[in-house]
Amino acid sequence: MIPTVEWKEGTVRLLDQRLLPGRVEILECRDYQTVADAIRELRVRGAPAIGVAAAMGVALGAEAVQEAEFMPFQKAVLAICDELGATRPTAVNLFWALERMKGVLAENSHCSAFDLKRLLVEEALRIRQEDLAMNHSIGKHGASLIEDGQCILTHCNAGALATAGYGTALGVVRAAWEQGKKIHVYAEETRPVLQGARLTTWELMQDQIPVTLITDNMAGSLMREGVIHLCLVGADRIAANGDVANKIGTYTVAVLAKAHKIPFFVAAPSSTIDLATPSGDQIPIEQRPAHEVTSLNGGSPIAPKGVHVLNPAFDVTPADLVTAIITERGIFKPSELAATFRL
Ligand code: MRU
């Protein structure tokens, strides 16, 4: 699998996810503004991948800072963090990664700008490495929930493409598949940006994991027919009470799962858990441009010009619809998160 986000020879290399599956192209970012634009334009997307890209963006931006004294150097890097933090509001991994990068500065005020630049690169690489390790661990824990022969419904893309590699929800799928379980994934297309149709099917097909693409409005019918055994999605932010923000349409799947008595699992690393946000009501929901809804994949219009459009990128699934949350530290009920992760 081609890496989603990479640091190579002083540049940030992103697999351009806007072009998939038609074209496999690497976007080479030589300045942090290009990284910020790539996050905003969904060239790199998925909560953990956004965090890794932003951390690398900070390291890249810092490389170009000319200040030699600590205070002006820190001021310049904090301004870069602010710009990267203004790209997308919902995925908390972005802010978590930026805080880690700011922490490097705060803890090393005695260092030269030369050394700080090196330390920032090292921290960004560490964040990437840790994300990969967490995903393998999520996969190991989550695979225990999947039985041989089961069919799994997923929404959006919570795979290798959305992370530093392996994936969260799709990491669980991968781990179950690697254990020899004969499973089948039903991928919802995920209107309006089609992460399910374009990305989830693509990455599962790369690994020869059986996948069937369905439109978003087919899930209820499949559940009623008894085809789906469990639902498995990622998350952009999990509040302290276990409410889960994820791609718009996730809530609908959770309600349907409850109505059909099908388990609804969320897979996410601890970097997605935001104990400072008490409940889903306080999670900021990104509103995206109308053209994403009025055309399909940037193509010709599918709605009258000037029509009023709503385009929230995420929704909140209340904790009581979530069967369990799969993390790198194990599987927890939503109500157990705060106590477990506060420690
Ligand atoms: O708008 P996107 O494509 O960044 O949204 C991605 C999702 O909603 C994912 O499900 C979530 O970030 C989890 S990725 C491991």
Side-chain angles (χ1 to χ4, degrees):
M1 181 95 193
I2 303 154
T4 314
V5 190
E6 242 190 335
W7 178 270
K8 205 164 179 191
E9 290 153 12
T11 63
V12 179
R13 291 163 61 89
L14 306 171
L15 176 57
D16 191 338
Q17 299 191 36
R18 280 232 86 121
L19 305 178
L20 288 172
R23 269 153 58 201
V24 180
E25 271 181 35
I26 302 294
L27 174 69
E28 198 174 82
C29 308
R30 297 183 173 276
D31 51 54
Y32 77 89
Q33 290 94 341
T34 310
V35 176
D37 288 344
I39 295 173
R40 211 175 283 113
E41 293 163 5
L42 311 184
R43 296 188 187 282
V44 58
R45 34 74 40 209
I50 292 171
V52 174
M56 289 189 180
V58 175
L60 191 59
E63 293 279 338
V65 173
Q66 302 289 326
E67 309 290 350
E69 297 299 317
F70 179 76
M71 292 302 276
F73 180 83
Q74 183 188 40
K75 194 169 167 224
V77 177
L78 292 183
I80 292 168
C81 290
D82 286 348
E83 265 190 67
L84 285 158
T87 50
R88 299 194 73 190
T90 305
V92 77
N93 309 61
L94 170 64
F95 307 100
W96 171 88
L98 293 174
E99 285 309 312
R100 290 258 311 243
M101 299 304 277
K102 289 179 195 175
V104 169
L105 296 179
E107 286 158 24
N108 295 286
S109 53
H110 56 282
C111 287
S112 66
F114 181 82
D115 283 341
L116 287 169
K117 290 177 184 181
R118 178 180 49 80
L119 290 171
L120 287 168
V121 174
E122 284 171 8
E123 184 71 355
L125 293 177
R126 204 172 296 122
I127 288 172
R128 181 178 186 274
Q129 215 37 51
E130 285 173 13
D131 186 61
L132 196 55
M134 286 194 284
N135 293 336
H136 279 277
S137 189
I138 289 169
K140 211 166 67 208
H141 290 298
S144 66
L145 298 167
I146 300 180
E147 288 168 27
D148 192 26
Q150 284 192 321
C151 292
I152 302 152
L153 180 86
T154 193
H155 187 67
C156 194
N157 172 266
L161 290 168
T163 61
Y166 204 67
T168 56
L170 296 191
V172 173
V173 166
R174 276 199 171 84
W177 181 252
E178 285 161 11
Q179 289 173 0
K181 293 176 183 165
K182 302 254 173 308
I183 51 176
H184 195 103
V185 176
Y186 284 82
E188 288 202 312
E189 63 173 348
T190 317
R191 279 277 287 144
V193 185
L194 306 173
Q195 289 93 333
R198 296 187 301 107
L199 308 176
T200 294
T201 55
W202 183 78
E203 79 163 78
L204 290 177
M205 287 169 79
Q206 298 271 311
D207 281 358
Q208 268 110 50
I209 299 175
V211 57
T212 299
L213 173 64
I214 60 168
T215 62
D216 296 336
N217 50 5
M218 293 177 187
S221 174
L222 281 184
M223 288 185 192
R224 192 171 162 276
E225 288 165 13
V227 174
I228 306 296
H229 299 106
L230 61 119
C231 302
L232 184 51
V233 298
D236 286 83
R237 191 187 294 231
I238 305 176
N241 71 342
D243 289 352
V244 174
N246 191 48
K247 178 54 56 194
I248 189 79
T250 303
Y251 173 54
T252 316
V253 173
V255 172
L256 284 171
K258 178 92 167 182
H260 293 88
K261 300 187 175 49
I262 294 168
F264 179 89
F265 296 111
V266 174
S270 49
S271 51
T272 305
I273 299 169
D274 178 16
L275 296 184
T277 297
S279 80
D281 293 344
Q282 292 86 37
I283 297 176
I285 300 294
E286 177 183 4
Q287 302 294 322
R288 293 197 56 88
H291 68 78
E292 288 179 351
V293 176
T294 56
S295 66
L296 270 180
N297 211 16
S300 48
I302 56 164
K305 204 164 182 242
V307 65
H308 181 69
V309 169
L310 270 182
N311 189 12
F314 302 97
D315 60 25
V316 172
T317 298
D320 63 347
L321 296 181
V322 178
T323 310
I325 298 176
I326 308 159
T327 75
E328 76 276 12
R329 286 172 56 185
I331 302 167
F332 301 98
K333 290 200 193 91
S335 58
E336 293 171 329
L337 273 197
T340 311
F341 285 88
R342 195 155 276 136
L343 296 173

